[in-house]
Amino acid sequence: MTDYEFVGEKLRQKIKGLFEIIPKQKHVFIDEVRCNGCENCYIFCPGGCFTMEDGIAKATHIEDFCQECGTCAKICPTNAITYKEPEGGTGIIRRFS
Amino acid sequence: MQTYDIVIVGAGPAGSAAAKIAAEQGMKVVFFERGNSPGEKNASGSAIEMHAAREIIPDFPHEDTPLQRAVEGGSFWLQSEEGLLCLNAFIQAWSTEKNDVKAYTVYRNEFDKWWAEKAVEAGAKLITKTLISDIIKENGKVIGVQTEKGEKFFGNVLIGADGTNSKVAIRSGFRGPWKPNEVALCVKYDYPLPKTTIDQFWGGFSENSCKLDLYFGQSMAPAGYLWIFPNKESISIATGTGLQEMLNGGENLNYYIHQFLQHTILGRILKNVKPRYYISHEIPYLLTYPTKPLEVCRDNVLIVGDAAGSVCNFDGEGWDSAVIGGKKAAEIAIDAISDGDTSKQSFQPYQKWYNSYVLSNLDWGWRIGHWLFNEAGYEQLANPLLKTFATIFDHPHIDHIVPSLNKNLSQLLPLLGTLMLLGKLHLKPYADLLGSLV
């Protein structure tokens, strides 16, 4: 039973301000035709980067919340997600890591 | 066009180790980091082991090495329906020998920067803020790499030290992206705490020392564990689990951290403390049985560390094999370059090292991990002991305690059998396979 308290927008509220990101171009893409609405990316993304809209996953918060783990692409059952690493010198900055 | 003896993608523990060893031997070396400085994108438990560090820097640690606390022990917490059992282990608690530290906790963002500086001091060229977007091939063989801006770097040998999502490993044809049963996702929170509080709950016997906490249980990680690593003035609380197990009815990892704080003493210690940093990271975690050794060298190219999946699939520890693997890869690359033969065949000593060092770890890790997570081994261990304690509290009379001890502790006997069997089976299933490779 998924606890949606720790998913998407609610997760973003919890982790907001707890990391730094250097602005970057979007680097995670969803093929909306392939997306079957399973919610895997939405539920498990540790950055809460995804939003479900009309049964389709949207990568709405990649630029400001992506942790660059690459999990989304691996857990997508229809291979609808493309994960790329962001351009050098941009993206997440770790401290106390 | 820039040409080097050795081109290394990644300035993490493995890449920097390889760069230092190769540069010291007079090789022309370049290594790449996609962050603004090495360590900026890195994360782990985080602890580093002395035996591995000294393979690269014999007089490790130096005065300016950014270390946090010396690890003197650990507590293993096993969850079952009966409660939570804790086994404490303090290594050499009564030892008179000083300075025999086996591991230190570190902040990887600080430590990896320092670690890469040692390679730069040895003469390796570090290029930061640069993502390697592809490899360059000629006649089917790897001859260099290309940056996202289109700059090309050529080398006799390419070492892929570019982590879990390694482009070098995938583009050179070693493997596809890891599958959900081959990786684990981890999340970690850093909580600042006064030094005295950390000493009180996690302190060891000497100044700036600590014990680590490892929690096993379905409520904290479906396949993996939750851990607390103390630093000088903060603790990190993290949990990690195999992606496949997470998909099989698991929750977002933040749920487990939240539950943990609700149900353990940590919730009270951290009652008015806000976390100051959040980190998440993915590591290789090969939870399928390692039926055949992963290929780690091809013509002109070797892969090391997380790129090569060299992470123990029980404890998730990969720093030591990344560092030692980086050294081995560099040494074997140097030999190959001086012999003028950088073919896959010339790199076989590296494959042999990988098969003996990493694969035996994977084999053990799989056996223990499978037993612990799939057969709920921690419950088998915890239940009889917890039941015995419950009896002692319920009926503090020897007439009750002795039969209860007999009944409960006898349940531990099959467990010993299982463990002995695990030991006996070690390496046997693919001894032939290894033999055929050698």
Side-chain angles (χ1 to χ4, degrees):
Chain A
M1 286 295 286
T2 303
D3 188 337
Y4 285 90
E5 273 300 306
F6 301 92
V7 161
E9 169 67 17
K10 289 198 169 162
L11 175 57
R12 292 200 295 275
Q13 294 296 339
K14 290 179 179 41
I15 61 175
K16 196 174 182 178
L18 295 181
F19 50 85
E20 290 160 61
I21 284 189
I22 296 179
K24 62 191 170 203
Q25 301 226 306
K26 196 164 180 171
H27 60 111
V28 176
F29 307 93
I30 303 183
D31 179 342
E32 289 182 13
V33 179
R34 283 194 184 181
C35 175
N36 69 357
C38 76
E39 296 194 346
N40 278 357
C41 56
Y42 173 58
I43 293 168
F44 297 113
C45 172
C49 296
F50 299 88
T51 308
M52 296 305 292
E53 287 174 18
D54 302 327
I56 298 286
K58 307 265 182 182
T60 50
H61 287 77
I62 300 301
E63 297 92 328
D64 44 349
F65 280 87
C66 178
Q67 307 291 311
E68 296 168 27
C69 62
T71 297
C72 51
K74 296 187 187 78
I75 60 178
C76 178
T78 60
N79 292 322
I81 302 182
T82 307
Y83 169 81
K84 291 180 177 172
E85 259 146 9
E87 194 185 325
T90 73
I92 196 95
I93 290 189
R94 265 75 186 256
R95 294 195 207 291
F96 313 114
S97 63
Chain B
M1 189 174 101
Q2 304 199 53
T3 305
Y4 291 83
D5 294 318
I6 302 179
V7 174
I8 301 167
V9 183
S16 296
K20 179 175 184 284
I21 297 295
E24 279 171 348
Q25 297 300 313
M27 292 279 127
K28 194 180 171 198
V29 181
V30 63
F31 65 131
F32 294 93
E33 164 60 42
R34 68 186 177 96
N36 290 287
S37 61
E40 189 181 280
K41 300 285 185 186
N42 302 358
S44 71
S46 315
I48 54 140
E49 296 86 0
M50 288 290 273
H51 77 93
R54 287 190 169 150
E55 292 254 352
I56 312 302
I57 301 170
D59 60 346
F60 185 90
H62 296 173
E63 269 200 1
D64 65 344
T65 310
L67 301 171
Q68 290 294 321
R69 285 177 185 252
V71 179
E72 289 190 352
S75 298
F76 300 86
W77 300 78
L78 311 176
Q79 186 205 19
S80 81
E81 68 221 11
E82 300 288 330
L84 193 57
L85 178 76
C86 178
L87 305 168
N88 279 317
F90 276 94
I91 309 156
Q92 299 170 326
W94 270 263
S95 167
T96 49
E97 288 201 13
K98 295 294 168 199
N99 303 321
D100 193 17
V101 179
K102 298 200 183 299
Y104 284 96
T105 59
V106 297
Y107 290 132
R108 286 283 305 280
N109 57 308
E110 291 176 2
F111 183 82
D112 289 9
K113 192 174 175 186
W114 180 88
W115 187 248
E117 277 164 15
K118 302 302 119 187
V120 173
E121 285 164 18
K125 183 180 165 108
L126 171 66
I127 299 180
T128 57
K129 299 185 194 185
T130 301
L131 181 71
I132 296 302
S133 61
D134 210 350
I135 55 165
I136 305 167
K137 282 186 179 179
E138 193 179 80
N139 299 328
K141 288 182 184 175
V142 176
I143 56 162
V145 295
Q146 184 170 321
T147 71
E148 62 198 324
K149 301 213 164 69
E151 220 179 329
K152 291 176 179 175
F153 292 83
F154 296 93
N156 291 321
V157 175
L158 172 63
I159 297 180
D162 47 346
T164 306
N165 295 313
S166 170
K167 216 160 278 169
V168 174
I170 295 168
R171 296 283 168 87
S172 308
F174 284 97
R175 56 173 175 84
W178 296 121
K179 295 183 188 72
N181 59 7
E182 296 173 330
V183 279
L185 180 63
C186 309
V187 302
K188 178 163 106 170
Y189 284 88
D190 182 83
Y191 284 88
L193 278 177
K195 187 177 179 302
T196 47
T197 308
I198 297 172
D199 285 344
Q200 188 185 346
F201 287 97
W202 292 277
F205 293 87
S206 41
E207 184 65 15
N208 262 333
S209 67
C210 68
K211 61 130 183 166
L212 314 175
D213 277 335
L214 310 177
Y215 288 81
F216 293 90
Q218 283 288 323
S219 308
M220 295 167 288
Y225 57 93
L226 184 146
W227 69 92
I228 299 172
F229 279 27
N231 299 306
K232 278 179 186 159
E233 292 187 340
S234 82
I235 56 164
S236 57
I237 302 183
T239 186
T241 204
L243 286 194
Q244 190 58 58
E245 281 67 18
M246 200 171 81
L247 290 171
N248 297 342
E251 301 275 352
N252 185 295
L253 291 177
N254 283 278
Y255 165 90
Y256 300 104
I257 302 256
H258 177 80
Q259 289 293 317
F260 175 73
L261 294 178
Q262 297 289 308
H263 288 99
T264 61
I265 190 177
L266 265 295
R268 276 171 44 212
I269 299 172
L270 298 173
K271 198 175 170 197
N272 297 311
V273 185
K274 286 208 159 54
R276 66 176 167 185
Y277 233 77
Y278 173 70
I279 296 133
S280 56
H281 194 69
E282 198 184 70
I283 57 164
Y285 199 63
L286 300 152
L287 282 174
T288 47
Y289 188 75
T291 46
K292 82 180 176 71
L294 192 80
E295 186 188 26
V296 290
C297 50
R298 297 189 134 204
D299 290 342
N300 303 352
V301 52
L302 303 130
I303 50 172
V304 295
D306 282 4
S310 71
V311 172
C312 175
N313 46 1
F314 162 56
D315 62 14
E317 176 55 45
W319 192 83
D320 64 327
S321 54
V323 163
I324 298 171
K327 182 188 179 185
K328 296 283 170 199
E331 286 172 347
I332 288 153
I334 294 165
D335 285 349
I337 290 168
S338 49
D339 291 347
D341 173 13
T342 53
S343 66
K344 179 178 175 173
Q345 194 53 38
S346 74
F347 294 150
Q348 281 310 301
Y350 178 64
Q351 183 76 54
K352 267 194 198 174
W353 169 82
Y354 182 90
N355 292 350
S356 65
Y357 192 98
V358 180
L359 269 192
S360 69
N361 219 353
L362 287 180
D363 185 64
W364 268 109
W366 183 85
R367 287 173 192 290
I368 294 173
H370 185 79
W371 172 71
L372 269 177
F373 308 136
N374 293 4
E375 296 171 25
Y378 49 83
E379 287 188 31
Q380 292 176 40
L381 189 65
N383 261 338
L385 294 169
L386 285 165
K387 276 185 191 156
T388 305
F389 276 112
T391 315
I392 292 170
F393 296 137
D394 277 351
H395 306 281
H397 194 278
I398 199 76
D399 285 358
H400 291 278
I401 294 170
V402 172
S404 167
L405 277 176
N406 267 334
K407 183 170 156 254
N408 292 322
L409 296 184
S410 65
Q411 289 174 20
L412 287 173
L413 286 174
L415 195 72
L416 288 173
T418 310
L419 288 174
M420 283 166 72
L421 204 64
L422 284 178
K424 271 194 184 147
L425 291 174
H426 175 53
L427 278 179
K428 212 176 165 190
Y430 59 81
D432 290 345
L433 231 154
L434 291 181
S436 68
L437 249 157
V438 175

